[in-house]
């Protein structure tokens, strides 16, 4: 058995008036945290926009998983469903925001008038990935909600045993 404990990103704070009675994580910009972004299944133009956003808001883009990641930006279908990639699953387990690439576009378009900034982070809720193309629903929201309630990712403090044939997939 291998332990899947990792240092989790700082806990999301509850956003007042987020609707539906569930707790929602605050944007890192409103809580004073640095924005750390990664992409999952993005097209080349979406990757370029992600880098532009990170630069404009003083954040950074990382290619490999790190517990510091605040947002996983996913390419989604018209139903805001993403492919079930490793980063998608890691995002759910860590409780960070999983948003579609429209969030990046909205942030880039939201520069404050008269500001020198080229972008401004917008609330994530309306861009949140709703599930995956394999039928999973509400995983991203449930992961964040648990993180905000318990300050821990979904598998924090638990052990996971993987059985079966193991093969390299890279």
């Amino acid at each position: 058995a291998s332990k899947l404990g990792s240092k989790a990103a700082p806990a999301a704070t509850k956003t007042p008036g987020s609707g539906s009675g569930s707790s929602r994580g605050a944007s890192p910009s409103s809580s004073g945290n640095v924005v750390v972004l990664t992409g999952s299944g993005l097209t080349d133009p979406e990757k370029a926009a992600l880098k532009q956003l990170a630069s404009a808001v003083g954040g950074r883009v990382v290619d490999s998983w790190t517990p510091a990641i605040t947002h996983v930006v996913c390419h989604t279908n018209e139903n805001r469903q993403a492919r079930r990639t490793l980063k998608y699953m890691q995002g759910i387990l860590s409780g960070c925001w999983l948003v579609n690439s429209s969030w990046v576009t909205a942030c880039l378009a939201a520069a404050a008038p008269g500001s020198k900034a080229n972008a401004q982070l917008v609330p994530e809720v309306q861009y949140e990935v709703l599930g995956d193309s394999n039928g999973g629903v509400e995983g991203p929201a449930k992961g964040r909600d648990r993180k905000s309630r318990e300050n821990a990712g979904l598998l924090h403090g638990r052990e996971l045993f993987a059985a079966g044939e193991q093969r390299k997939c890279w």
Side-chain angles (χ1 to χ4, degrees), residues 34 39 50 55 133 169:
V34 174
L50 185 64
S55 176
S133 55
C169 55

Side-chain angles (χ1 to χ4, degrees), residues 55-135:
S55 176
V57 299
R60 62 189 171 107
V61 176
V62 296
D63 293 325
S64 299
W65 187 261
T66 170
I69 291 173
T70 59
H71 295 76
V72 178
V73 179
C74 302
H75 181 82
T76 60
N77 63 20
E78 63 279 356
N79 297 319
R80 290 191 358 223
Q81 295 172 323
R83 283 186 26 235
R84 193 181 284 181
T85 65
L86 181 59
K87 286 182 189 175
Y88 172 82
M89 297 302 290
Q90 289 170 314
I92 291 173
L93 293 174
S94 72
C96 70
W97 279 103
L98 281 91
V99 293
N100 65 12
S101 59
S102 295
W103 176 75
V104 174
T105 303
C107 290
L108 290 171
S115 169
K116 292 182 181 181
N118 296 330
Q120 178 177 323
L121 297 179
V122 299
E124 295 90 343
V125 173
Q126 73 183 44
Y127 303 99
E128 185 167 35
V129 174
L130 299 178
D132 63 64
S133 55
N134 291 347

